[in-house]
Amino acid sequence: MTSPAGPPGDGASGRKRLKLLAVTACPTGIAHTYMAAEKLTQAAAELGVDMKVETQGSIGAENVLSDNDVREADGIIIAADKEVDRERFAGKRVLSTGVADGIHKPKELIERVRSAPVQTGTAPAGGAAGGGGGKERSLAYKALMNGVSYMIPFVVVGGLLIAIALALGGHATAEGYAVTPGTFWDHVFQIGVLGFTLMIPILSGYIAYAIGDRPALVPGMIGGFIANTGALYDSKSGAGFIGAIVTGFLAGYLVLWIKKVKVPKVVQPIMPIIVIPIVATTALGLFFIYVIGKPISWVFESLTSWLSGMTGTSAILLGALLGLMIAFDMGGPVNKTAFLFGTGLIASGNYAVMGMCAAAIPVMPLGQGLATVLRRKLYSEQERDTGMAALFMGMFGISEGAIPFAAARPAIVIPANMLGGAVAGAVAGVAGVGDHVPHGGPIVAALGAISGWVWFLIAIAIGTVVTALTTNALIEIKARRGVRLAPAGAAVPEPVLAGVAAGSGGGAGGTAVRTRTGAAPAAAADAEPEVLSGYLTARTVRTELASDTKEAAIREMAEMLAATGNVRDVEELVRVALAREAQGTTGLGESIAIPHAKTDAVARPTVGFARSSEGIEWGALDGTKARLVFMISVPEAAAGDEHLRILALLSRKLMDADFRERLRSAPDGPAVLEVLSEIR
């Protein structure tokens, strides 16, 4: 148990020295996590405050706060853009804000934590206990990402098991593409189906959990199951992943509201484990069945009637419309309306409508998977892995492989999916493609169930490319707009560094690196100080950049790195580095920028450093121009945590104003290396 919060000491002579704790974390767990930690530590030292900071970075939690630390603390600062467990701080003053405030307003946070609210026994989700003023990611965003991250394994495992079972034991039937009941492959298939059955409740449940904590998990999961079970509200189709998102948020906020209700002390112990889950689950379930479910059923019936009236119209129009519907909600009422409409016409000998649907069905997973292959830098490692699984699922007509992408970026992915689906459906309609079984994807053509199979595959290919290109274009547009329109003081975009493995950046000697004045660094290899484990050498130091724009500076530094012989393709290195900038600026503030790239255009990890006396506009949200620029380049195969430790050391050291000043004023390359050698 922690001691209750009392009036914290002010650090004055003769009084108790203030003891504070802090936790810093950012979505990718790299530079800003450690920059905020260093700034808070420095500010505490200046104010005469004892401070211990726990960093929750990509290499895991470091300097972890112990029970004794918490017991003795007068307050806790949480400077984070992701969820941080607050229950361990019960009874203490807790101030929650964004990681950017930890970097730019450390002294202000130390002052504000003295009057911050006391954390209750159950941590409010999403920073509710923070006392305001922070610039955290929105609660809705973090809740949605929480649900998606837990759902992805179920999608991948379920989808791949189904695909494997269909590939090795499946065959075409009048009811669709299936496996023989009771066989080994049927059992594998059914296990995969269970994964798909669970993924929707998991999505809903963990969205709710991120908002309302443990009491919201049960109503969220049961609500998601209800949303996906159309039979409960007289619909032939459930609400799919869109319904799960709705029930997740409803459950989470309903639990938060119930928590605010005043109850007798005797009831309080059973509120989170009995009362809240039962009340929230019952209320949400009945609300969905009687209020939300009825409109879903009406939409299903109305769309079916509308489609029936469109048979005999333009094939291209009908194909585009069916493709739009198939791609919209991937298993929801709109998707199922189109699918069942096509299925119903097979019995009457009309195979063309199902052919349109079948061409659109695989476009979503294939398109999203292709998007991650075409522009890997736009996606996290987890998204790239999910993309490969989606490609495999798409080949077998499993459209659910695209759900994680649609749930994470609905405003981008759903329109891109619909455009690709419409194109695929329209091409199939014009070409007169026919599907004799109620299933889609290239696997159906391989089994001989498609008439006009060449055009069928062409339709899928065109739709897939349209979806992939549209998705990536929309992501890049959003990224550029976010950098251009981000208000001053907003949460700083976190540089995403993909990996630096141990290796040498090359020794001194060979081709000299020229500065603007023509001077060359002159450090002998045997006397050269080791910088960043040898990643940075005399060859990769430039005391003055000739460039005055970010793009030109990146190119100049890439050419400098190429002097080591470690860069195979300068143009590709520049392209990848600029693509990374499109996701969000690598200008960290404090006149620092750390552009980076992970590409096979680099043979081995290499780090460069350059200065700009005039400063280069890098888009840093504190408004400072970049005068100290580090460029990190690593090969695609680089892996491990070494790069994160190096970047953590670099980020911490660069928060030292004296270190930055000495780095700026070092007269030549050897002097720069000597200053940089202090990074340990």
Side-chain angles (χ1 to χ4, degrees):
M1 294 289 292
T2 59
S3 57
D10 59 8
S13 177
R15 298 191 63 181
K16 175 178 176 287
R17 185 179 173 92
L18 191 67
K19 294 183 177 180
L20 298 180
L21 305 178
V23 179
T24 62
C26 48
T28 52
I30 309 180
H32 289 96
T33 298
Y34 306 102
M35 293 170 67
E38 190 66 16
K39 279 292 188 179
L40 285 166
T41 301
Q42 292 175 3
E46 291 179 21
L47 296 174
V49 173
D50 289 338
M51 172 76 77
K52 179 178 179 180
V53 185
E54 174 184 306
T55 56
Q56 295 188 5
S58 292
I59 56 177
E62 297 178 285
N63 204 32
V64 176
L65 306 177
S66 67
D67 290 342
N68 287 336
D69 291 330
V70 175
R71 186 179 302 112
E72 297 171 1
D74 296 304
I76 293 93
I77 298 170
I78 298 177
D81 285 340
K82 69 177 185 179
E83 288 300 316
V84 173
D85 179 19
R86 294 174 172 81
E87 287 195 2
R88 54 180 168 156
F89 304 136
K92 295 295 180 179
R93 299 180 185 276
V94 177
L95 174 68
S96 180
T97 185
V99 71
D101 283 350
I103 298 172
H104 302 299
K105 304 175 183 178
K107 292 183 179 179
E108 178 183 323
L109 298 183
I110 291 173
E111 293 298 327
R112 284 170 49 201
V113 74
R114 303 182 188 211
S115 57
V118 175
Q119 175 67 54
T120 57
T122 300
K135 296 182 176 60
E136 297 181 279
R137 284 281 196 175
S138 69
L139 174 57
Y141 172 86
K142 290 192 285 188
L144 182 59
M145 291 303 100
N146 193 60
V148 171
S149 67
Y150 280 100
M151 175 187 68
I152 285 175
F154 289 85
V155 176
V156 173
V157 172
L160 292 183
L161 286 178
I162 290 174
I164 291 170
L166 291 176
L168 301 179
H171 56 274
T173 69
E175 289 74 34
Y177 189 56
V179 291
T180 303
T183 63
F184 172 80
W185 291 115
D186 179 54
H187 294 152
V188 174
F189 180 86
Q190 295 303 327
I191 294 172
V193 169
L194 286 177
F196 269 10
T197 302
L198 289 172
M199 72 175 180
I200 298 300
I202 290 293
L203 172 63
S204 177
Y206 280 97
I207 289 174
Y209 176 79
I211 298 171
D213 206 56
R214 290 182 183 87
L217 189 59
V218 170
M221 286 193 172
I222 293 179
F225 191 89
I226 291 172
N228 203 40
T229 309
L232 292 173
Y233 42 90
D234 299 324
S235 173
K236 294 183 179 179
S237 171
F241 82 96
I242 294 178
I245 292 174
V246 172
T247 57
F249 281 108
L250 287 176
Y253 284 110
L254 178 60
V255 167
L256 282 184
W257 179 77
I258 296 174
K259 284 181 177 180
K260 296 178 181 178
V261 177
K262 300 292 185 181
V263 297
K265 288 187 177 180
V266 68
V267 180
Q268 289 178 0
I270 64 171
M271 284 292 288
I273 58 174
I274 298 178
V275 177
I276 294 177
I278 289 178
V279 172
T281 300
T282 304
L284 176 63
L286 294 175
F287 177 76
F288 200 96
I289 291 173
Y290 288 105
V291 179
I292 299 178
K294 295 299 181 183
I296 292 175
S297 178
W298 176 83
V299 166
F300 187 93
E301 294 171 359
S302 299
L303 286 174
T304 302
S305 300
W306 181 47
L307 286 175
S308 297
M310 290 194 66
T311 53
T313 61
S314 167
I316 188 171
L317 177 61
L318 182 59
L321 178 61
L322 290 171
L324 286 171
M325 295 174 67
I326 287 289
F328 175 66
D329 53 2
M330 289 164 286
V334 178
N335 170 284
K336 278 295 190 292
T337 297
F339 180 79
L340 294 179
F341 178 69
T343 300
L345 292 176
I346 292 177
S348 63
N350 184 342
Y351 306 116
V353 173
M354 191 62 219
M356 302 172 195
C357 295
I361 285 172
V363 163
M364 297 82 76
L366 290 176
Q368 295 306 318
L370 179 61
T372 65
V373 172
L374 294 177
R375 301 300 304 276
R376 292 176 60 82
K377 300 305 174 184
L378 298 180
Y379 300 90
S380 67
E381 183 177 352
Q382 184 183 45
E383 287 176 318
R384 293 196 294 267
D385 292 341
T386 305
M388 295 306 295
L391 284 171
F392 192 69
M393 285 185 258
M395 299 300 292
F396 291 87
I398 303 172
S399 61
E400 287 85 351
I403 287 180
F405 297 96
R409 298 186 178 99
I412 290 175
V413 172
I414 292 177
N417 283 347
M418 292 175 67
L419 181 59
V423 170
V427 171
V430 170
V433 170
D435 183 4
H436 295 251
V437 298
H439 198 79
I443 185 63
V444 181
L447 293 171
I450 298 292
S451 55
W453 63 270
V454 173
W455 277 105
F456 176 70
L457 296 178
I458 291 174
I460 293 174
I462 295 174
T464 296
V465 171
V466 168
T467 291
L469 296 180
T470 304
T471 299
N472 287 342
L474 292 176
I475 291 175
E476 290 184 321
I477 290 171
K478 181 179 179 181
R480 292 192 184 101
R481 180 180 294 178
V483 172
R484 184 168 61 252
L485 301 181
V492 182
E494 175 68 24
V496 180
L497 182 62
V500 178
S504 172
T511 303
V513 178
R514 299 285 175 181
T515 65
R516 177 182 290 184
T517 60
D526 56 355
E528 181 181 306
E530 183 170 292
V531 178
L532 295 176
S533 301
Y535 299 145
L536 190 152
T537 68
R539 286 188 176 191
T540 59
V541 169
R542 183 157 295 181
T543 56
E544 183 63 33
L545 283 167
S547 306
D548 57 4
T549 66
K550 176 167 65 173
E551 291 77 8
I554 287 176
R555 178 173 295 279
E556 184 178 345
M557 294 193 72
E559 292 172 349
M560 177 179 67
L561 298 186
T564 64
N566 295 338
V567 179
R568 299 188 182 101
D569 187 340
V570 172
E571 291 300 322
E572 178 64 9
L573 175 57
V574 172
R575 186 194 68 78
V576 173
L578 291 177
R580 170 60 192 90
E581 294 294 329
Q583 299 177 53
T585 179
T586 57
L588 305 183
E590 304 285 358
S591 299
I592 302 163
I594 309 181
H596 45 262
K598 181 180 178 184
T599 170
D600 285 333
V602 181
R604 60 193 311 181
T606 311
V607 180
F609 168 73
R611 299 184 305 200
S612 172
S613 57
E614 297 298 324
I616 300 170
E617 180 55 54
W618 216 278
L621 294 180
D622 68 351
T624 59
K625 292 185 177 181
R627 289 179 165 81
L628 305 176
V629 183
F630 290 84
M631 185 167 182
I632 303 174
S633 60
V634 296
E636 194 74 45
D641 291 336
E642 178 65 13
H643 71 289
L644 297 174
R645 284 187 283 271
I646 293 297
L647 187 54
L649 290 172
L650 182 61
S651 302
R652 286 181 182 275
K653 194 63 178 178
L654 287 171
M655 290 300 96
D656 184 339
D658 177 67
F659 176 80
R660 295 197 305 271
E661 181 56 36
R662 287 187 289 113
L663 199 53
R664 279 193 290 260
S665 60
D668 53 25
V672 168
L673 284 172
E674 192 64 37
V675 175
L676 290 173
S677 67
E678 299 176 17
I679 302 174
R680 302 185 188 284

